[in-house]
Amino acid sequence: MGKFIPLSIPNFEGNEKKYVVDAIASTYVSTVGGYVSKLEKELAVFLNVKNVAVCQSGTCALHLSLIEAGVGPGDIVIVPSLTFIAAINPVKYQFATPVFMDCDDSFCMDPIKLKSFCEEKCRWDGVALKHNGVIVKAIVVVHVFGNMADMESIMDIAEQYNLKVIEDATEALGTKYTRGKYQDKYAGTIGDFGCYSFNGNKIITTGGGGAVTANDPAVVDHLRFLSTQAKTDPHYYIHDEIGYNYRMTNLQAALGVAQMEELPEFIRRKQQNYERYKNLFDGFDYGTLMPFREGTSSNKWFYSIKIKRSCITTSMREIILALHDRGIETRAIWGLINEQKPYEDEEIYKLEKAPYYASRILNIPSTTQITEEEIKYVAEEVKRLLRSLADG
Ligand SMILES: *Cc1c(COP(=O)(O)O)cnc(C)c1O
């Protein structure tokens, strides 16, 4: 194979160029312009919600959600350990305190441990949940790699203990339940807030960008207001709250409107390519293609191979570099956030699966442009390498 096979790169096969040129021609390149509101409407229609606000990044979406959830200095927010650090940093922007929770086999937050933490480590006073006397305000649930967290269990716990649920659906645009209590509900539309990202490697991209929705449409209006410097008067510069410069630009939104036209096709390809890998890894001893939650239709954004311990002779880096030499881009799952320098001293709760998966998950190319032939090549090379490492 002569061509390098990337992990996940943008796909601009549609109207991207046309709409971006149109936005430039209109001179509306900043936060005012037709594409911004068009993208908001299209996301709302796609997600079947009333109101969506677009913003500069998934990180802003998360930050605005925490603000709106009332998370402030000293509050506790329960967060995942195995995730991208952008899901946790906004907790610190609000001077709140994270407690790191374990994942289940979906890589998403383990509801059983979440419940036992609330029962055993906290005290419910009839109004608020307290941990060491401090209020536990919210949970950040990340739908890792396009998988759906166990929202039925998590929402029950959140209701019981009056916790706000912020869904980090940055990797899961298009993932939905196909049965059960939340049948037909999309990731990000079940909790109090849902956050999306359109960064370069996400299922759709605006270069940088994000969106946020909430179960209360009036709250989304307020989030949008905060994202535009909290300007209250159309003619005078009157601001009655501290706002942010978080609004998406028309240039970004033009890209986003074109990408939304292609989203169903991107999801179809990701799902089809996942099935191809699944057939190729079926019965392979040294690596297992991880499944997505039953009862859901996932966007299958990223594919994960769980590598047998005996193949990891030195480190995951060795595997990543060896595959790179064969023209294949792969990556390790994230380092645990509670082990990162700014979070070393924070509280953790029964972390078992998070470190287990952190040490043995390899993401393989899931880019929408990948061909069937390339998938076969990737699977063959990954299997050949793992076999040779296991045999020593
Ligand atoms: C991408 C991502 C984010 C942040 O999105 P940005 O748009 O890059 O700010 C947050 N959480 C998770 C899990 C992500 O993958």
Side-chain angles (χ1 to χ4, degrees), residues 56-62 83-88 142-145 168-171 196-202 208-210 301 334:
Q56 283 290 334
S57 67
T59 310
C60 303
L62 287 155
T83 190
F84 183 49
I85 199 161
I88 320 299
V142 180
H143 300 293
V144 174
F145 298 154
D168 177 335
T170 51
E171 304 179 352
Y196 302 91
S197 166
F198 312 126
N199 204 352
N201 68 350
K202 298 294 183 342
W301 176 63
W334 311 278

Side-chain angles (χ1 to χ4, degrees), residues 29-31 53-61 64 196-199 206-212 227 244-250 252:
V29 293
S30 194
T31 56
V54 289
C55 55
Q56 283 290 334
S57 67
T59 310
C60 303
L64 290 169
Y196 302 91
S197 166
F198 312 126
N199 204 352
T206 60
V212 55
S227 79
Y244 299 83
N245 182 10
Y246 277 179
R247 185 91 170 134
M248 182 182 276
T249 69
N250 203 41
Q252 292 167 314

